[in-house]
Amino acid sequence: MNLFNVYPLFNINPVKAQGSFLWDDKGEKYLDFYGGHAVISIGHNHPYYQNKLKDQLEKISFYSNSVQNNLQSELAEKLGGISGYENYNLFLCNSGAEANENALKLASFHNGKSKVLYFSGSFHGRTSAAVSVTDNPKIVAPVNFSERFIKSGWNNIEQLEEVFEIHGNEISSVIIEGIQGVGGIMIPTAGFLSRIKELCEKYNAALILDEVQSGYGRSGYFFAHQEFGIEPDMITTAKGMGNGFPIGGVLIHPKFEASNGLLGTTFGGNHLACAAAIAVLDVMKNENLIENAQHRGKYIEDEIKDLPHIRSVRRKGLMIGIELDRDCSEVRKNLLYNHRIFTGNSNDKNVLRILPALNIKKEETDLFINALKTVLEKI
C-alpha cells in the first residue's frame, strides 16, 4: 500500500527536534520558524511537557468520555484563568476543524436557524461545514456546497450590513478568524469586529471566533480578538493548544445550555491530550510566553521592515506575514535549502508566513533575520 498523495513534500525527513530546531536523517540541523502551521507553541520537546506526558503514560493514556476525567476539569480551570474566560464552558475535541464543526452545530441548535456567514480569505478546516465556510473552491467538494453558507468581504462593513439586511433573520452564526492565517496574516479592524458583534446581537446570531491559529498567545494576547474588547459567543482553538498532540476545544458562553448527547467525541479530551494541554498552559504562564511573543515579534518586524523587496510586514505578536514584491516561493526554498530555516506560505503567493515557537530566543531570531537579509539582498 502507498500513501494517498495529497501533500507536496520537501525532500527532508526530520527525525529529532529540540526547542526551535529540527534534525533530519542526514544529521542536518534546521531552525523551525513555522512550527508546523503554528502548532509548536512552547518549542519542540520542552522538558516539562515531555515529563507530563511520560508521567501520564505510566498512569492511564485513554478512556472514553463515559467516565469522569479530572484532567479535563483541571484543563478547563487553567484555560479559563489564563484566557480570562472563567465563566465559559469547555467542550474538548481533536482538531480545529472539529472545533468549528461543533461550534457551528451548537449555534444552530441554540437558535434554530441554518445559515452561516463567513468571510473572503477565510480558512476554517477541511471537514463538512468547516470547509463550506472556507474560501477555497478547490477544496470544497460538491457534497459540501450549500446556499446556506454566505460569503461577505473581509473588513467590508457595508457589505456585511447588506447581508444582514437580506438574510439576518436566517443567519444562525457568523464565523471569523481572530487573524486570518492561511489568508496571509490579514488582521480585522476594530470597527469591523464591533459591527459584527452588534449585528449578531440584533439578529440573534452566534458570533464564533476561530482562534485555532491566532490563539494561545500567538498574537501577543491569549486570543487575538481580545485586543479589540470583543466577547464572542464561542471561541474555537486547537494547533498550539497541545504543542503537537492532537487536541481542540470550544469555549462556550454560559447562555448555551448543554444536554446529554448534544455534542460528542470518542477521542476528544482523553488523558494524554489533557496532560499535553495542561503542560502547555503551565509553561506559557511560568515562562511569560505571551509577553515574549510581543517582544520577539516586534524585534523581528523592526529588523526586517526596511529590507529590499519587502512591501509590508503584517504582524501581531509572533504571527507574522511578510509581503514581498514577488512570489515568495523561491525565497522560501532558499531559506530552507541554503540556510536551513523552515518558513511558511499562504494563499497569497507573495506572503511569507512566520510562526515560530512562543519561547523563541533573540539569537534564534537573529539567525532568521540575517538569513532573510542575505537572501533578499541577492535578488
Side-chain angles (χ1 to χ4, degrees):
M1 182 183 291
N2 295 317
L3 295 174
F4 196 51
N5 188 17
V6 294
Y7 301 113
L9 301 177
F10 291 116
N11 188 26
I12 297 170
N13 179 26
V15 295
K16 177 185 173 183
Q18 186 67 49
S20 290
F21 294 95
L22 304 164
W23 288 261
D24 68 13
D25 55 358
K26 299 177 180 64
E28 294 285 353
K29 183 180 180 181
Y30 297 81
L31 176 63
D32 186 3
F33 247 61
Y34 189 54
H37 314 294
V39 167
I40 302 302
S41 50
I42 62 170
H44 295 279
N45 287 329
H46 191 289
Y48 182 85
Y49 175 86
Q50 279 188 315
N51 289 334
K52 275 280 189 181
L53 284 173
K54 289 175 182 177
D55 182 59
Q56 190 59 47
L57 270 172
E58 292 177 354
K59 297 174 181 176
I60 179 173
S61 59
F62 173 82
Y63 204 74
S64 77
N65 284 303
S66 61
V67 298
Q68 294 181 19
N69 179 352
N70 290 339
L71 291 172
Q72 293 182 353
S73 299
E74 180 183 352
L75 172 56
E77 181 179 354
K78 288 185 173 181
L79 178 53
I82 195 171
S83 69
Y85 283 102
E86 294 96 333
N87 64 325
Y88 277 48
N89 298 304
L90 178 64
F91 175 76
L92 291 167
C93 52
N94 306 286
S95 69
E98 189 179 337
N100 287 330
E101 292 283 348
N102 281 284
L104 293 166
K105 182 192 289 187
L106 185 56
S108 187
F109 275 137
H110 177 73
N111 55 33
K113 298 190 285 184
S114 62
K115 290 189 176 180
V116 180
L117 178 61
Y118 69 103
F119 298 98
S120 57
S122 62
F123 185 93
H124 297 290
R126 293 176 178 270
T127 54
S128 179
V131 80
S132 299
V133 291
T134 290
D135 187 19
N136 184 351
K138 292 180 180 180
I139 64 172
V140 181
V143 71
N144 303 122
F145 176 78
S146 170
E147 294 180 353
R148 295 193 304 273
F149 302 100
I150 304 165
K151 183 172 71 173
S152 186
W154 181 256
N155 279 334
N156 189 329
I157 295 176
E158 182 179 354
Q159 188 177 8
L160 171 74
E161 292 174 338
E162 290 175 357
V163 170
F164 264 98
E165 187 174 337
I166 298 169
H167 302 283
N169 293 322
E170 302 171 281
I171 293 175
S172 170
S173 59
V174 177
I175 186 166
I176 182 171
E177 291 161 270
I179 299 170
Q180 287 187 346
V182 175
I185 316 300
M186 302 299 294
I187 301 167
T189 64
F192 185 55
L193 283 179
S194 295
R195 190 60 180 139
I196 292 171
K197 176 67 173 176
E198 291 168 357
L199 290 168
C200 283
E201 290 181 347
K202 178 179 178 179
Y203 287 94
N204 187 31
L207 174 55
I208 302 168
L209 250 297
D210 178 343
E211 295 276 7
V212 169
Q213 185 169 140
S214 55
Y216 261 70
R218 172 62 53 186
S219 71
Y221 293 81
F222 192 84
F223 291 124
H225 69 268
Q226 291 176 304
E227 178 181 2
F228 304 105
I230 299 295
E231 186 176 272
D233 295 300
M234 284 176 275
I235 305 160
T236 58
T237 183
K239 291 195 184 296
M241 187 176 187
N243 201 52
F245 199 102
I247 185 171
V250 188
L251 283 70
I252 303 167
H253 191 281
K255 71 181 180 183
F256 294 89
E257 293 187 12
S259 61
N260 288 342
L262 186 70
L263 304 177
T265 171
T266 297
F267 298 107
N270 66 73
H271 297 75
L272 273 179
C274 286
I278 290 167
V280 167
L281 292 176
D282 288 346
V283 171
M284 287 184 67
K285 181 179 180 180
N286 295 336
E287 299 184 8
N288 299 312
L289 295 192
I290 296 176
E291 292 83 357
N292 193 64
Q294 294 172 342
H295 298 322
R296 295 286 177 252
K298 184 178 186 304
Y299 175 71
I300 293 170
E301 180 180 5
D302 289 345
E303 293 295 314
I304 69 171
K305 62 184 179 182
D306 295 322
L307 292 178
H309 303 292
I310 292 182
R311 284 180 175 168
S312 67
V313 179
R314 296 193 289 270
R315 181 193 67 83
K316 292 291 182 180
L318 281 172
M319 192 168 184
I320 306 172
I322 303 169
E323 183 185 8
L324 304 178
D325 60 5
R326 63 196 61 226
D327 190 318
C328 75
S329 59
E330 289 306 313
V331 171
R332 189 180 178 212
K333 289 177 183 176
N334 198 326
L335 287 169
L336 180 59
Y337 290 115
N338 295 329
H339 296 272
R340 302 289 190 264
I341 299 176
F342 279 97
T343 58
N345 58 3
S346 72
N347 282 345
D348 184 336
K349 65 181 182 179
N350 288 10
V351 174
L352 191 69
R353 194 159 36 133
I354 306 302
L355 302 162
L358 305 184
N359 58 355
I360 195 83
K361 297 178 175 63
K362 180 182 179 297
E363 54 267 30
E364 295 161 354
T365 64
D366 286 337
L367 290 174
F368 167 74
I369 292 164
N370 292 331
L372 182 64
K373 181 178 180 180
T374 299
V375 171
L376 294 179
E377 287 181 346
K378 286 184 177 179
I379 292 176

